[in-house]
């Protein structure tokens, strides 16, 4: 090109008029072609940030250098409820986000009012606590896959989930969208959820970092948590998401920890997340969780979301820009935020060549919620149901011997997906319990229904009658009488009650006041069981409830169904009538009474004068009940089956050198019943003579095994250094202390058929901070 240009210039200088020859015609054509705009575009050097062969970090730095100060600012705060601005001149699109952890939320305006679209129906997945009850990592991956695929079809870049806060108290209103009380189980489920979702080309945003364990005063409550408890109980799922799943986004929580809001907490966001774990992605605030410009700029947040419009006045908008311009804030702080924003966009392949912008996304031609996605939701619900009681094999029910079935309870006709706060989903349909049972039975038996009670309204307000009027005591009494009459007329009663996803129960923004069954259900159940002892109780809800002995003792069968999602009723019917053998196990302890729970027993909830002290420390959930020898109603990890399993032949195989680690925990599991089924074998580690305080035992492994009748299988679960380690605050490292350990293989935390001994020969120290090599590899 240079030679040709020089030659042409030289001809013009001499004002030559060469003869027109075929050769010169060809040369002239070539010269003219070399100056066409198309060829000049080809010749222009491609910007480094557009070269997908370059490392992401290099591309982000190159693009960062091309942005103006004002453009950078536009990338660190919202420009609508669920997006940040784009920079079209450089090929940066808007970054589009959406709730949530249980599916893709419908389109809403800046005030969260539904826009009434007809193309934003989505699959309502079961509650995440139900997902955890499956103890099935493959289903966790499938769960994330469904949400990821629907998010991509809806044009979302970041999905705000999963939510992995640990269940500290059964009163927390958001427990239904969390994954239980144990950090190991939560970690395993979260990692697979994220890997399934992010494999679809959308980013997960794990939340809420950290310890959003109560909704009461969540926007201001100051939680006093010691460092060891924070690291061992409340942070492991976030760490696993970063280091194992490669999660791209983290959402900070509303609450304060040790005197600093989580969105402005340098210890959480900088020391732990970004420095110790080497997190390369972006940290966004929960919606409206930013309180100051100064603390936000310096303490590790990258994007401010949810602060009210006008967005140009948000803390990281005009005030930040002004501080940059007058020298109050270093540009390097802004660059670090933007660099992380761009890193995520490159990882998602969102940056485009501005000279060739992508075509508009085509309108969907197929339903967002497909039959395949609905089938996945149903499969997860079926695997989540926990059989808590089944005297004399009362379940499964045999239709051939049940002419009349009474279905009783307000939750039998209730729908739950489109409620609960940010986890709500607009579904194309939702199969209720009554509809699912009716679908299954058809004309094989007669079904009679009675409501039994009026489901309570928001924050425990009295329920409403179908005509919209508030139900009186007389109205409620009439419903009870009708239910008792229906129970007496039937051969079997299926009672469907429990909680709901309204404020004051299982819902964002408020906690439960107690763990009693609302709306007088204990009294109702007592009368129903007295009228017809052949009663199956099905409870729907987001965690533990107290159960009165007056009905629990005589009732032959009890099933906990969580919030079962879009196909919940069909899933329930298949379990009740034996097409599916229940295999769920509790991801949270069900106490006999609220007073037995650690936070309540220690007067450590909900706090006083804006502060709550985590006095129980490490003793959360079963760690509390087992260490303090308090008998629960149903223990962590508990769940029955329609068949029986035998555990035998435990063998501990040391595969390492001097330490003996990793340790293979090998045993045989046999299905000794006459139905195919799945058993979750749980591995607990118990230090015998610890040098520091330790819970009596902790879950460190599990395996879900499917077996045919009479089938026997050898199971092996590997325990590494982490299974034996505690966090040492002084050295900022994880310490696996030498000494004797019991390896416990159980059906639950309280049912341990196999026990083995292991001697860790030497103490192992694992620094918390990841190596620079590991960080750069991301």
């Amino acid at each position: 090109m240079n030679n040709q240009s020089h030659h042409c210039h030289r001809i013009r200088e001499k004002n030559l008029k060469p003869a027109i020859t075929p050769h010169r015609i060809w040369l002239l054509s070539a010269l003219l072609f070399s100056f066409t705009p198309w060829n000049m575009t080809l010749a222009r050097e491609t910007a480094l940030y557009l070269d997908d062969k370059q490392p992401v970090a290099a591309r982000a730095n190159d693009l960062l250098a091309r942005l103006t100060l004002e453009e950078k600012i536009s990338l660190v705060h919202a420009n609508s409820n669920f997006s940040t601005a784009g920079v079209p001149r450089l090929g940066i699109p808007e970054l589009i986000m959406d709730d949530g952890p249980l599916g893709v939320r419908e389109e809403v305006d800046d005030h969260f009012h539904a826009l009434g679209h007809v193309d934003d129906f989505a699959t309502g997945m079961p509650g995440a606590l139900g997902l955890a009850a499956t103890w099935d990592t493959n289903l966790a991956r499938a769960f994330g896959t469904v949400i990821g695929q629907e998010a991509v079809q809806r044009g979302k870049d970041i999905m705000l989930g999963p939510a992995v806060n640990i269940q500290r108290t059964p009163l927390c209103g958001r427990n239904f969208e969390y994954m239980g009380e144990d950090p190991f189980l939560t970690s395993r489920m979260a990692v697979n959820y994220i890997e399934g979702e992010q494999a679809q080309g959308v980013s997960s945003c794990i939340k809420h970092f950290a310890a959003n364990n109560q909704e009461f005063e969540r926007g201001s409550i100051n939680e006093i948590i010691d460092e060891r408890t924070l690291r061992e109980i409340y942070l492991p799922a976030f760490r696993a998401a970063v280091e194992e799943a490669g999660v791209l986004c983290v959402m900070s929580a509303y609450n304060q920890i040790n005197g600093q809001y989580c969105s402005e907490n340098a210890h959480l966001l900088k020391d732990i997340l970004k420095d110790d774990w080497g997190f390369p992605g972006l940290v966004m605030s929960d919606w409206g969780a930013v309180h100051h410009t100064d603390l936000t700029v310096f303490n590790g947040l990258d994007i401010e979301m949810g602060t009210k419009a006008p967005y140009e006045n948000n803390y990281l908008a005009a005030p930040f820009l002004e501080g940059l311009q007058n020298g109050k804030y270093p540009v390097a702080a802004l660059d670090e935020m933007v660099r992380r924003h761009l890193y995520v966009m490159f990882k998602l392949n969102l940056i485009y060549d501005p000279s060739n912008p992508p075509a508009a996304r085509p309108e969907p031609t197929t339903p967002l919620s497909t039959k395949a996605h609905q089938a996945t939701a149903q499969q997860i619900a079926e695997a989540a149901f926990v059989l808590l009681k089944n005297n004399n094999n009362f379940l499964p029910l045999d239709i051939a011997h049940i002419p009349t079935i009474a279905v009783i309870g307000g939750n039998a006709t209730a729908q739950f997906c489109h409620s609960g706060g940010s986890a709500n989903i607009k579904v194309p349909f939702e199969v209720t319990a009554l509809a699912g049972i009716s679908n299954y039975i058809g004309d094989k038996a007669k079904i009679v229904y009675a409501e039994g009670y009026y489901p309570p309204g928001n924050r425990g307000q009295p329920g409403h009658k179908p005509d919209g009027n508030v139900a009186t005591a007389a109205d409620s009494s009439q419903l009870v009488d009708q239910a008792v009459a229906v129970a007496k007329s039937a051969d079997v009663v299926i009672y469907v009650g429990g909680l709901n996803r309204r404020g004051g129960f299982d819902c964002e923004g408020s906690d439960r006041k107690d763990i009693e069954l609302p709306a007088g259900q204990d009294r109702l159940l007592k009368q129903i069981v007295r009228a017809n002892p052949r009663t199956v109780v099905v409870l729907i809800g987001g965690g533990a409830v107290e159960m009165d002995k007056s009905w629990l003792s005589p009732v032959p069968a009890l099933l906990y169904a969580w919030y079962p999602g879009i196909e919940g009723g069909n899933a329930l019917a298949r379990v009740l009538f034996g097409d599916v053998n229940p295999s769920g196990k509790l991801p949270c302890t069900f106490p006999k009474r609220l007073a037995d729970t650690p936070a309540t027993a220690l007067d450590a909830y909900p706090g006083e004068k804006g502060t709550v002290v985590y006095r129980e420390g490490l003793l959360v959930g079963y760690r509390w009940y087992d260490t303090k020898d308090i008998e629960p109603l149903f223990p962590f990890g508990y769940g029955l089956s329609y068949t029986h399993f035998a555990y035998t032949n435990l063998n501990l195989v040391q595969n390492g050198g001097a330490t003996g680690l990793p340790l293979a925990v090998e045993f045989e599991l046999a299905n000794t019943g006459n139905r195919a089924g799945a058993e979750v074998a749980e591995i607990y580690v118990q230090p015998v003579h610890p040098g520091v305080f330790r819970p009596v035992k902790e879950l460190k492994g599990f395996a879900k095994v499917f077996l045919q009748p009479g089938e026997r299988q050898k199971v092996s679960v590997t325990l590494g250094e982490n299974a034996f380690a505690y966090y040492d605050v002084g050295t900022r490292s994880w310490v696996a202390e030498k000494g004797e350990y019991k390896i416990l293989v159980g059906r639950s935390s309280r049912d341990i058929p196999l026990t083995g001994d292991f001697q860790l020969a030497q103490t192992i120290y694992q620094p918390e901070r990841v190596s620079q090599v590991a960080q750069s590899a991301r």
Side-chain angles (χ1 to χ4, degrees):
M1 180 77 175
N2 289 338
N3 289 338
Q4 290 176 343
S5 299
H6 175 71
H7 176 67
C8 185
H9 178 66
R10 179 169 53 84
I11 293 175
R12 288 198 300 271
E13 273 188 328
K14 294 184 178 180
N15 196 26
L16 296 178
K17 297 181 179 180
I20 303 300
T21 65
H23 172 75
R24 285 179 172 149
I25 290 175
W26 173 88
L27 179 60
L28 182 60
S29 298
L31 291 175
L32 291 172
F33 173 80
S34 72
F35 279 97
T36 61
W38 180 83
N39 198 51
M40 291 183 70
T41 300
L42 286 181
R44 185 175 64 241
E45 183 179 355
T46 302
L48 187 150
Y49 79 89
L50 295 176
D51 184 353
D52 59 11
K53 297 182 177 59
Q54 297 296 324
V56 168
R59 297 176 72 190
N61 283 330
D62 180 68
L63 181 51
L64 177 67
R66 300 169 187 266
L67 289 162
T68 67
L69 189 65
E70 289 76 12
E71 287 170 340
K72 292 177 184 178
I73 284 288
S74 73
L75 298 179
V76 299
H77 67 85
N79 74 333
S80 78
N81 208 1
F82 284 106
S83 66
T84 60
V87 183
R89 75 175 186 88
L90 292 172
I92 302 174
E94 288 188 320
L95 190 61
I96 310 296
M97 313 161 196
D98 206 351
D99 291 317
L102 309 183
V104 188
R105 186 176 185 169
E106 67 188 300
E107 301 300 330
V108 297
D109 64 17
D110 281 2
H111 301 286
F112 293 98
H113 299 142
L115 294 177
H117 291 187
V118 297
D119 60 352
D120 57 354
F121 293 93
T123 304
M125 303 300 285
L129 192 57
L131 173 64
T134 70
W135 294 62
D136 190 324
T137 54
N138 292 325
L139 289 181
R141 185 178 295 268
F143 193 108
T145 298
V146 167
I147 298 176
Q149 289 177 351
E150 296 190 4
V152 169
Q153 190 172 344
R154 283 268 297 279
K156 310 303 181 184
D157 304 315
I158 300 174
M159 286 304 298
L160 306 178
V164 296
N165 297 109
I166 296 299
Q167 185 179 132
R168 178 178 180 251
T169 170
L171 297 174
C172 178
R174 299 187 80 171
N175 283 341
F176 76 97
E177 56 177 302
Y178 300 160
M179 298 184 185
E181 70 189 27
D182 183 73
F184 182 81
L185 175 60
T186 298
S187 297
R188 303 308 353 119
M189 303 303 285
V191 164
N192 283 274
Y193 175 124
I194 292 165
E195 289 178 345
E197 185 168 68
Q198 292 197 160
Q200 311 313 311
V202 64
S203 170
S204 301
C205 182
I206 196 165
K207 62 184 188 181
H208 313 85
F209 193 65
N212 189 160
N213 305 315
Q214 63 185 67
E215 290 298 282
F216 178 77
E217 295 183 347
R218 68 174 184 179
S220 59
I221 192 73
N222 180 25
E223 301 170 348
I224 307 302
I225 311 174
D226 69 88
E227 186 73 6
R228 185 180 168 199
T229 296
L230 190 65
R231 299 274 189 162
E232 291 190 26
I233 301 296
Y234 298 107
L235 298 187
F238 292 98
R239 183 183 183 187
V242 170
E243 296 185 353
E244 297 180 48
V247 72
L248 293 174
C249 300
V250 173
M251 181 191 292
S252 61
Y254 283 113
N255 49 280
Q256 300 180 65
I257 292 181
N258 299 327
Q260 252 189 339
Y261 283 103
C262 290
S263 292
E264 305 165 358
N265 194 308
H267 183 54
L268 276 180
L269 304 185
K270 296 180 75 173
D271 297 346
I272 296 176
L273 178 62
K274 294 182 176 180
D275 292 344
D276 285 355
W277 301 345
F279 175 62
L282 68 84
V283 181
M284 70 177 70
S285 71
D286 205 336
W287 267 229
V290 172
H291 300 268
H292 311 91
T293 300
D294 288 8
L295 293 175
T296 305
V297 167
F298 291 112
N299 289 356
L301 194 76
D302 300 310
I303 295 180
E304 174 188 5
M305 295 300 300
T307 306
K308 292 181 179 180
Y311 298 105
E312 58 269 21
N313 293 336
N314 286 182
Y315 294 101
L316 291 184
F320 190 15
L321 178 60
E322 182 180 351
L324 288 162
Q325 291 170 333
N326 65 27
K328 181 179 181 180
Y329 306 126
V331 175
L334 173 62
D335 285 351
E336 174 65 10
M337 298 175 187
V338 176
R339 187 179 291 110
R340 289 173 176 274
H341 185 130
L342 298 176
Y343 171 88
V344 171
M345 299 194 88
F346 278 118
K347 282 289 190 178
L348 296 175
N349 199 30
L350 297 176
I351 304 296
Y352 60 89
D353 185 340
S355 68
N356 185 29
R361 182 183 298 273
E363 292 295 321
T365 57
T366 59
L368 186 66
S369 179
T370 64
K371 292 292 185 183
H373 289 175
Q374 294 155 14
T376 298
Q378 179 172 329
Q379 182 185 9
I380 292 168
E382 291 169 355
F385 294 143
V386 180
L387 185 61
L388 296 173
K389 187 177 182 181
N390 196 25
N391 290 356
N392 301 316
N393 297 317
F394 189 80
L395 290 178
L397 300 172
D398 185 351
I399 298 178
H401 298 92
I402 310 173
T404 303
I405 298 173
V407 178
I408 299 175
N411 276 358
T413 57
Q415 297 182 332
F416 306 98
C417 289
H418 202 204
S419 57
S422 60
N424 81 86
I425 306 298
K426 186 171 104 178
V427 291
F429 63 86
E430 182 175 349
V431 181
T432 66
L434 179 59
I437 293 168
S438 299
N439 292 342
Y440 188 91
I441 291 175
D443 59 1
K444 297 175 184 176
K446 179 183 178 182
I447 296 176
V448 289
Y449 172 69
E451 190 170 14
Y453 67 92
Y454 291 109
N458 279 325
R459 302 182 188 276
Q461 295 298 313
H464 286 76
K465 297 186 296 183
D467 62 9
N469 292 320
V470 174
T472 65
D475 294 327
S476 297
S477 179
Q478 185 178 16
L479 280 192
V480 171
D481 293 341
Q482 292 171 356
V484 169
V486 166
K488 288 179 179 178
S489 73
D491 299 285
V492 165
V493 174
I494 300 174
Y495 177 85
V496 187
L499 307 175
N500 60 48
R501 281 164 58 168
R502 295 174 181 157
F505 297 101
D506 293 317
C507 184
E508 181 179 6
S510 60
D511 290 338
R512 288 196 269 167
K513 301 299 183 184
D514 54 51
I515 57 171
E516 297 176 3
L517 285 170
Q521 289 182 70
D522 279 319
R523 295 188 298 276
L524 171 63
L525 274 166
K526 180 180 179 180
Q527 295 190 51
I528 289 173
V529 175
R530 183 184 297 161
N532 190 337
R534 291 175 56 79
T535 296
V536 179
V537 174
V538 178
L539 295 179
I540 293 174
V545 293
E546 293 176 358
M547 302 183 197
D548 195 286
K549 289 183 178 179
S550 64
W551 65 263
L552 180 59
S553 295
V555 77
L558 172 64
L559 187 72
Y560 204 92
W562 315 104
Y563 290 108
I566 190 171
E567 291 279 2
N570 289 332
L572 175 62
R574 281 170 49 81
V575 170
L576 289 174
F577 294 99
D579 288 16
V580 173
N581 189 345
S583 61
K585 295 206 173 186
L586 292 179
C588 54
T589 304
F590 278 32
K592 289 184 175 180
R593 54 184 188 146
L594 180 61
D596 290 340
T597 64
T600 299
L602 296 174
D603 196 22
Y605 170 88
E608 295 182 1
K609 298 179 180 179
T611 296
V612 59
V613 180
Y614 281 37
R615 296 188 180 97
E616 71 282 2
L618 301 172
L619 299 185
V620 176
Y622 70 90
R623 289 165 169 81
W624 165 264
Y625 299 98
D626 292 354
T627 301
K628 298 294 185 179
D629 198 22
I630 299 171
E631 184 180 3
L633 183 62
F634 298 107
F636 174 82
Y638 175 83
L640 303 175
S641 171
Y642 294 157
T643 189
H644 302 281
F645 299 95
Y647 291 72
T648 57
N649 300 329
L650 176 63
N651 185 30
L652 303 180
V653 180
Q654 300 184 29
N655 296 312
T659 65
L661 298 176
L663 178 71
V665 181
E666 299 179 350
F667 55 96
E668 290 187 356
L669 190 62
N671 183 345
T672 59
N674 57 10
R675 286 178 176 267
E679 170 70 343
V680 178
E682 304 160 29
I683 315 299
Y684 297 86
V685 173
Q686 179 181 40
V688 178
H689 301 293
V692 298
F693 175 78
R694 306 283 296 270
V696 67
K697 61 177 172 290
E698 297 181 281
L699 180 75
K700 296 299 179 182
F702 62 88
K704 189 161 191 176
V705 183
F706 294 82
L707 297 171
Q708 295 297 319
E711 184 181 1
R712 178 181 299 271
Q713 184 173 320
K714 182 178 179 180
V715 181
S716 182
V717 177
T718 300
L719 301 180
E721 296 174 4
N722 292 341
F724 300 89
Y726 68 90
Y727 185 77
D728 182 69
V729 176
T731 61
R732 294 192 66 196
S733 63
W734 292 88
V735 180
E737 187 180 26
K738 71 176 181 180
E740 182 181 354
Y741 293 83
K742 296 287 186 184
I743 307 300
L744 313 176
V745 181
R747 300 181 180 92
S748 75
S749 68
R750 290 292 180 105
D751 185 355
I752 309 294
L754 300 176
T755 301
D757 297 313
F758 171 68
Q759 189 77 28
L760 184 57
Q762 64 185 46
T763 299
I764 304 169
Y765 295 90
Q766 301 170 289
E768 173 75 314
R769 179 164 297 191
V770 299
S771 69
Q772 292 299 318
V773 173
Q775 287 193 42
S776 63
R778 297 177 191 161

